Amino acid sequence: MTVDASLKEVSSSAATVPRRTFLQEVIEDTPGSDPRFEMCIQCGTCGGSCPSGPDMEYSPRRIFAMIEANMREEVLKANTFWYCVSCYYCMARCPQEVHITDLMYTLKRKAIREGYCRESSASDAPDFSEYFVDAVLKYGRSFELGLATRYHLRHHPLGAVKMATGMGLDMLRRGRMDLTPRRIKNLDQLQAIMAKAEEIGRVEREQGGIR
Amino acid sequence: MKKYIYYPGCSLERNASAYNDSTLAIAEPLGMEYQEVDDWNCCGAVEFIAVDKMQAYALTTRNLALAEQQLSNGEQMVAPCSACFLNLSKCDAYLTASPDLAGKINQALAAGGMHYTPGRVHTRHLLDVIVNDVGYDAIAEKVKKPLYDLRIAPYYGCLIVRPGFLDKFDDPEYPTSLDNLMRTLGGTVVDFPMKAHCCGGHMTQISDEIALNLINNLLKNAADYGADVIATICPMCQLNLDAYQKDVNKALGTNYNIPILYFTQLIGLAMGLSADELGFGKEIIDAAPALAKIGVKPPKKARKARPSKEALPMPTMPEEE
């Protein structure tokens, strides 16, 4: 075998894309120009500012340290990002201007794709997001009653009863909840765009070696 | 008349229809003219980005592309919902900052025969537009029935002031524009240190304990300072503080009874519009006692839910695995 041929064999048998550290992977999977994740100085301002910080297994500061340490599985099983309320206090206060809230979304997507979200103590939360997405893909707009019914029947049957007799009834009585969904006119167009976007995202991850 | 493109968002169609009604009712007297984005879709809320990045950005960008088609003379887009405002402005900011993302999103939009030029559609929140474009002085001239005696806690929540992707029109920690607006209407603004704290967002669906505590913090703060009403600028904040107030009372043994009103409803009242045309009667915590303090009669009866003309048949439950 020539040197050239053996090199070819090595490169085709190994993954065609170099293995990424967990930090590189989350950076590349986050939208915007530069999320600045590697700039974290472990000051803890994020955790101290977080309204649900006390209920998180690991504070956002600690999640950054764990990502740096390549603790992929522990990070993706955490409830931290599922308890994020998207208030952006961490991002507004971060002295290093790290896009902390965007990291939480990236970790949610990875935990869903890789199935780790089922092992999190906040295991109901992914379904809420996924059911929301289903309704929007189907109608183009959100459908609160359908989403709440499907989610609560699956996860909190008692909550569904409470909703139907308490707050849900109050909302219906005051004309604040649609019984049926509303659909946009050009749904075919939206669905074609969504199908293409899904494909582009998938190819981007494959080419970038992002799980 | 100053023209704007209007993006109402899903909440304003039904659950926050009082916000939509009052926003439209005060537009003309304030010299604003709205053209709704034709066939707009959901902005993605905070859920879509948790599932699929590329789809989330394509979804939001379709709205920007639709608005771009409607531009005739450099109008800006107005969103009354804080989450819609955040998503639309953040999406535009990220597409502008990342040509790679913009290229991919436009490739997806092309599948539907659409295109968006990053930076073309500038999205602003309704509060920003009202205080900065219309201005306090012009509003003061329209006040016919000042809200004297009404103690108002001005509540901003998160997304309108943080993180400020396109405009930083107010302070992210201690905003004051809504305070000044309520004073312009003659109202008594109470100190409300938690005015930019979180209402819990979607946590009401995920963890009762966390959500009810966050809501309690806000209600307690407003009650401690003797607020008659909380003025809000976001449908999610209104829903959480209003529809879950009884749950907070039950779970935490409190006894709050604070109506949560849209700031546009209060502007309308001060301008002398009737409670009926401003969507009153849809709040779960009754606003009638607060309205009585300023001599306004509540609407005769709450409107009933009517199926809309565009309504589809009842959906069936998807099969669960």
Side-chain angles (χ1 to χ4, degrees):
Chain A
M1 194 187 282
T2 63
V3 176
D4 261 9
S6 72
L7 271 180
K8 220 177 231 169
E9 201 171 291
V10 168
S11 70
S12 65
S13 63
T16 45
V17 180
R19 232 184 134 74
R20 297 282 203 275
T21 64
F22 191 29
L23 177 64
Q24 286 168 330
E25 224 183 288
V26 291
I27 290 174
E28 282 167 34
D29 203 14
T30 302
S33 58
D34 178 11
R36 299 174 61 84
F37 294 160
E38 75 286 3
M39 302 302 280
C40 171
I41 53 169
Q42 291 288 300
C43 70
T45 303
C46 46
S49 304
C50 182
S52 36
D55 299 288
M56 290 174 173
E57 283 156 0
Y58 314 114
S59 72
R61 179 201 62 76
R62 198 157 160 180
I63 286 285
F64 273 96
M66 291 165 75
I67 291 173
E68 291 264 14
N70 238 345
M71 295 168 71
R72 176 190 188 92
E73 207 177 308
E74 292 87 342
V75 168
L76 293 178
K77 281 180 187 168
N79 69 4
T80 303
F81 37 92
W82 295 112
Y83 280 1
C84 166
V85 289
S86 299
C87 74
Y88 287 86
Y89 259 124
C90 52
M91 214 159 134
R93 289 177 178 173
C94 176
Q96 289 288 81
E97 297 175 16
V98 176
H99 295 192
I100 304 165
T101 314
D102 286 344
L103 172 70
M104 299 299 146
Y105 298 134
T106 297
L107 294 177
K108 284 181 183 189
R109 293 194 299 274
K110 290 187 88 61
I112 290 178
R113 280 204 302 269
E114 299 182 33
Y116 287 115
C117 62
R118 299 283 154 226
E119 296 170 59
S120 149
S121 68
S123 61
D124 298 353
D127 275 350
F128 186 75
S129 299
E130 291 193 85
Y131 294 174
F132 183 95
V133 165
D134 284 353
V136 173
L137 289 177
K138 203 165 160 189
Y139 307 116
R141 295 198 182 158
S142 86
F143 176 43
E144 288 156 1
L145 183 65
L147 168 65
T149 314
R150 186 176 168 200
Y151 173 73
H152 284 291
L153 282 180
R154 174 87 194 267
H155 292 287
H156 323 102
L158 202 65
V161 176
K162 253 176 33 192
M163 241 200 66
T165 54
M167 174 234 173
L169 194 63
D170 280 342
M171 296 289 285
L172 280 173
R173 274 199 188 132
R174 286 168 179 75
R176 289 180 59 177
M177 213 191 275
D178 273 325
L179 287 169
T180 52
R182 296 177 188 219
R183 186 157 58 196
I184 63 168
K185 288 180 282 182
N186 218 340
L187 190 61
D188 291 348
Q189 180 197 51
L190 176 69
Q191 288 176 340
I193 294 171
M194 289 290 107
K196 187 70 186 166
E198 194 278 332
E199 184 198 318
I200 294 169
R202 193 161 20 86
V203 170
E204 183 191 79
R205 287 194 303 275
E206 278 164 15
Q207 289 177 349
I210 295 168
R211 274 183 263 173
Chain B
M1 282 288 187
K2 186 155 181 188
K3 288 184 179 172
Y4 296 92
I5 294 175
Y6 185 58
Y7 179 86
C10 303
S11 290
L12 271 81
E13 277 199 305
R14 184 54 84 180
N15 127 45
S17 59
Y19 195 8
N20 199 39
D21 292 349
S22 52
T23 296
L24 299 180
I26 63 170
E28 208 221 304
L30 293 182
M32 303 165 78
E33 194 183 314
Y34 295 132
Q35 186 191 35
E36 187 171 326
V37 178
D38 184 37
D39 206 37
W40 55 270
N41 53 256
C42 168
C43 75
V46 292
E47 309 304 335
F48 227 107
I49 189 68
V51 177
D52 192 304
K53 174 182 73 178
M54 217 57 88
Q55 284 190 324
Y57 276 80
L59 183 78
T60 312
T61 312
R62 180 175 176 271
N63 293 316
L64 295 170
L66 288 170
E68 188 182 3
Q69 290 170 6
Q70 283 174 231
L71 288 179
S72 62
N73 196 18
E75 299 92 338
Q76 296 184 323
M77 181 148 73
V78 177
C81 167
S82 296
C84 300
F85 159 70
L86 174 95
N87 276 340
L88 293 163
S89 58
K90 178 177 181 177
C91 179
D92 192 37
Y94 277 13
L95 292 178
T96 305
S98 167
D100 175 59
L101 181 65
K104 285 170 178 161
I105 293 304
N106 268 323
Q107 213 185 319
L109 287 184
M114 300 188 85
H115 181 270
Y116 176 64
T117 316
R120 274 305 297 287
V121 178
H122 190 97
T123 310
R124 294 168 69 197
H125 190 275
L126 182 63
L127 175 64
D128 173 14
V129 169
I130 286 183
V131 302
N132 291 314
D133 288 10
V134 180
Y136 300 113
D137 293 343
I139 295 166
E141 280 172 26
K142 299 279 176 188
V143 173
K144 290 185 190 139
K145 290 184 169 180
L147 309 179
Y148 300 141
D149 300 329
L150 195 64
R151 293 177 63 82
I152 304 167
Y155 180 46
Y156 301 79
C158 308
L159 304 178
I160 182 173
V161 289
R162 284 185 307 274
F165 282 104
L166 290 181
D167 305 288
K168 290 193 192 327
F169 80 93
D170 210 334
D171 190 88
E173 299 277 347
Y174 208 79
T176 49
S177 51
L178 184 59
D179 296 50
N180 293 336
L181 178 58
M182 292 297 115
R183 276 189 207 105
T184 304
L185 305 179
T188 305
V189 173
V190 304
D191 203 7
F192 189 35
M194 296 203 62
K195 58 187 174 182
H197 281 241
C198 177
C199 72
H202 71 179
M203 285 313 278
T204 45
Q205 305 302 311
I206 290 158
S207 164
D208 269 358
E209 200 191 331
I210 298 177
L212 296 183
N213 274 314
L214 291 174
I215 297 170
N216 177 51
N217 291 341
L218 294 164
L219 293 171
K220 180 173 189 308
N221 200 217
D224 284 349
Y225 286 91
D228 296 316
V229 301
I230 294 177
T232 173
I233 52 131
C234 169
M236 183 89 246
C237 299
Q238 201 283 339
L239 181 73
N240 279 351
L241 295 182
D242 184 25
Y244 291 91
Q245 203 169 126
K246 290 181 193 166
D247 291 357
V248 170
N249 285 340
K250 213 180 280 176
L252 302 173
T254 50
N255 191 25
Y256 303 119
N257 193 28
I258 308 175
I260 317 297
L261 304 178
Y262 292 107
F263 78 110
T264 43
Q265 293 181 296
L266 294 169
I267 296 174
L269 287 181
M271 293 195 317
L273 303 180
S274 76
D276 255 318
E277 55 191 319
L278 295 168
F280 280 94
K282 294 197 168 185
E283 65 283 353
I284 289 177
I285 303 299
D286 192 3
L291 296 185
K293 277 191 85 173
I294 49 170
V296 173
K297 280 184 190 158
K300 287 189 185 82
K301 57 178 171 29
R303 277 167 257 178
K304 274 195 184 148
R306 255 176 250 112
S308 85
K309 280 173 209 152
E310 303 143 49
L312 301 170
M314 212 50 182
T316 50
M317 194 68 79
E319 291 284 321
E320 301 290 0
E321 65 286 355

